[in-house]
């Protein structure tokens, strides 16, 4: 379960346009992720700038990297991203589920449950 210091670090890392685009591109790419060059092209930054931004996102635990031959592949850290969403929504409805309903509907429309949900 994510705590306040982790959430602050995550939000600080996401509080920059290129980093937010990087995370969104990696979420869209799925668990296989993207090679560094493809990710830089997708986001519209140079390789040097990409390296700077992914370092911050990695430090916050929002993305991960792995080597595949000579390439570095980056992927979203889905458990951390889920934890951030859970942190925000943990006590949202205070006994009034209609307050959280729009967020739940939005998530359900893009990510219908499959019955095989991994928890962080």
């Amino acid at each position: 379960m994510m705590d306040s210091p982790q959430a602050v670090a995550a939000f600080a890392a996401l509080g920059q346009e290129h980093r937010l685009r990087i995370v969104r591109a990696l979420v869209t790419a799925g668990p296989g992720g993207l090679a560094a060059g493809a990710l830089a092209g997708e986001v519209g930054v140079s390789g040097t700038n990409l390296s700077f931004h992914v370092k911050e996102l990695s430090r916050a635990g929002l993305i991960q990297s792995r080597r595949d031959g000579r390439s570095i592949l980056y992927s979203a850290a889905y458990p951390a991203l889920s934890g951030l969403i859970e942190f925000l929504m943990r006590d949202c409805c205070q006994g009034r589920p209609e307050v959280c309903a729009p967020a739940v509907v939005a998530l359900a429309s893009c990510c219908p449950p499959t019955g095989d949900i991994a928890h962080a």
Side-chain angles (χ1 to χ4, degrees):
M1 186 174 298
M2 185 170 283
D3 60 18
S4 290
Q6 291 169 315
V8 168
F11 283 119
L14 290 170
Q16 200 282 338
E17 184 179 357
H18 292 307
R19 290 185 213 140
L20 184 58
R21 280 199 257 158
I22 288 167
V23 170
R24 289 180 57 100
L26 292 175
V27 166
T28 301
L34 290 171
L39 181 56
E42 178 88 16
V43 176
V45 298
S46 69
T48 304
N49 281 335
L50 180 73
S51 179
F52 170 77
H53 291 304
V54 298
K55 206 176 298 181
E56 292 298 314
L57 292 165
S58 293
R59 191 173 307 151
L62 298 175
I63 67 169
Q64 53 206 11
S65 63
R66 68 187 183 284
R67 186 165 287 284
D68 183 21
R70 293 177 53 192
S71 298
I72 297 176
L73 298 176
Y74 293 99
S75 57
Y78 291 100
L81 293 169
S82 296
L84 185 58
I85 293 167
E86 180 186 353
F87 177 84
L88 283 175
M89 303 299 290
R90 188 173 301 141
D91 300 316
C92 85
C93 65
Q94 298 291 314
R96 296 179 46 220
E98 70 277 4
V99 172
C100 295
V104 172
V105 169
L107 286 172
S109 69
C110 74
C111 310
T114 63
D116 184 26
I117 299 172
H119 296 281

